[in-house]
Amino acid sequence: MTVRAKALITLLPSDQGGLPHELPSRTQSLVICACTGEEDSRLSRPFQAAITADDEEPLTPGDRLHVVTIATTDDDAVEYLRPGERFRLWCGHDVGSGIVSRRFI
């Protein structure tokens, strides 16, 4: 099963620990670290995913509120990528964050 979600992402600028260069609109270079559960017992889970910019523009360090589509074949993603859930973007270290706006299964 493929889980797809729309999300808004913000990437840290390069000088603040973000990516050193832009990534193509469709990339698998970033890992999504999502959480689920109550705040005092949140479980974090990394997901390999394809992230595609809806405007087909590259993902550039410092981007704010870039609309993307996330696609993953990890069945557990259904529990983590719910509307309103926040996640971190990771590439060896945190490089940005996002929030899920809606999910498609």
Side-chain angles (χ1 to χ4, degrees):
M1 167 175 65
T2 299
V3 177
R4 288 184 176 80
K6 290 282 187 190
L8 294 172
I9 63 168
T10 296
L11 297 172
L12 293 171
S14 296
D15 62 355
Q16 293 179 18
L19 296 167
H21 54 79
E22 66 184 26
L23 294 173
S25 167
R26 179 172 168 75
T27 185
Q28 293 183 2
S29 298
L30 300 175
V31 173
I32 295 171
C33 296
C35 293
T36 189
E38 298 299 320
E39 197 163 322
D40 58 342
S41 64
R42 298 196 48 94
L43 302 172
S44 180
R45 173 88 158 54
F47 294 97
Q48 291 290 334
I51 300 173
T52 305
D54 285 13
D55 61 6
E56 298 184 14
E57 292 295 318
L59 300 176
T60 305
D63 274 353
R64 297 188 52 77
L65 303 178
H66 205 138
V67 179
V68 298
T69 299
I70 298 166
T72 182
T73 56
D74 191 319
D75 291 341
D76 290 341
V78 170
E79 296 300 318
Y80 291 81
L81 298 178
R82 297 180 190 170
E85 291 290 340
R86 296 184 180 277
F87 58 88
R88 297 182 339 268
L89 295 168
W90 190 82
C91 186
H93 60 281
D94 285 347
V95 295
S97 61
I99 185 167
V100 176
S101 59
R102 66 183 167 195
R103 180 181 65 198
F104 311 96
I105 300 175

